[in-house]
Every structure is written in C-alpha cells, then in structure tokens.
Amino acid sequence: MSATEVVHSMLTALFAAAAARALRMSVRARTGGCRDRVDHLLHAAMALAMAVMPWSWGGALPALPQSVFFAAAALWFPLTAVRSGQEGQLPATVRRLPHAVSMAAMTWMSYRATGHSHRAMADGVPPAHQAMEVGHSMGGSEADSIVTGVLALYLLACALYSLTRGMPALRTTGTVADSTSLSSVCHRFWDGATAMGTLVMLLMPH
C-alpha cells in the first residue's frame, strides 16, 4: 500500500466514524429540537461524502448536486443561528460559523470536481476552443487559490482551537473529570479532527 493510499484510508476511517457519530447524535437529539437533528444529519451527509471522496470510485457521485446541497447546508447554519429568546444574533452566528465554513469547503471541493469533469470532456475540441479553455483556467487559478487559501486558514484555526482549548483542564491533578467535561472534550476532539481532515481533503489534488 502506497503512502497516498494510507492517507486516503485514514481519511475514510475518520469521516466514516464521524458520520456514524453524527447519525447517533441526531437520534439522541431530543431536547435540542428539529434544528439540532438537522445539524447532525447535515454533518453526517458531509462526512459520508468526504469518506468516499479520496478514492477514484468516489468520483461517481454527481458533483453538481453535491455543490447545491452543501451550499444550502452552509447557509442553513447562519440562517438558523438564533433561537427565540436564547442569545443574540452575532454570538449565535459566530458560534455556528465553523460548521458553515466546513460546508462551504465541501461545496468548494464539489465545485472544483465539477470543473475538472468539464475540462475532461474538452478532449477533441478545436484548438481555438482549447486555447480559450486554457486562458480561462489561467485567469481563474489565482481566484481559486485565494478561495482555497482562505478556507484552509480558517479550517486550520478551527482545528487548532478545538484540539487545544481543553488542554489546561486536562493537566490538573487530584481530580477526576466528570461526565460533562469528558463529553465536552470528546466533542471538541471530533470538531478539531474533522476540521483537520477537511483541511487535508481541501489541499489534496482532486
């Protein structure tokens, strides 16, 4: 097994486990209402799509419907940020922004996959049309790099924040963490791990 296949296998295992966890949490989200169940189901759908994306047969999934679906999912999180009487618009939106950016990254990856499939269909076109294709791709490559860079930096910040935020509490001695703190640490770990996995997928060649 090559190094690339090892990385692909690790990503598939990570996102398959994340999908299973999200599905389990959607079933258990009784007190959070419909919004929490939809949140978890959207994360499960994204994790399942990410689990198959590294492999060649994962390209069989239609890219354009994925782009539309995950673009709508990216909008879902900020648009449903505020619950009546619980918190203000800005704090609620900021709290849900990492989920929206993860969905936006998935949208961007699906969009790029759509572009690659269109370029693959360009074989056999007249040379003049091929030159136009090259010109458009060169003009768009800089914008593509900017979008990818912004998403990557935000995902990296989210991953590092989630994975390191609970470290001081874990260093304390003489006490045993209660179930609430353990659940919080586990939640932060999965947030950080999936954000890091999404970052790796974003930077991988597609």
Side-chain angles (χ1 to χ4, degrees), residues 88-155:
Q89 174 71 47
L90 183 58
T93 303
V94 170
R95 185 172 55 84
R96 290 169 67 81
L97 189 58
H99 306 294
V101 173
S102 295
M103 295 294 170
M106 185 64 193
T107 304
W108 181 242
M109 286 185 279
S110 300
Y111 170 77
R112 288 194 302 175
T114 304
H116 285 305
S117 65
H118 288 170
R119 286 192 293 273
M121 294 173 60
D123 294 337
V125 298
H129 288 192
Q130 290 184 5
M132 292 176 64
E133 290 279 344
V134 171
H136 285 302
S137 64
M138 291 179 64
S141 61
E142 184 176 353
D144 291 352
S145 298
I146 292 174
V147 174
T148 301
V150 170
L151 290 172
L153 287 174
Y154 190 88
L155 289 170

Side-chain angles (χ1 to χ4, degrees), residues 41-66:
L41 288 174
L42 290 175
H43 283 300
M46 176 181 170
L48 287 173
M50 297 277 278
V52 302
M53 185 179 288
W55 306 99
S56 57
W57 47 268
L61 297 175
L64 183 58
Q66 286 189 74

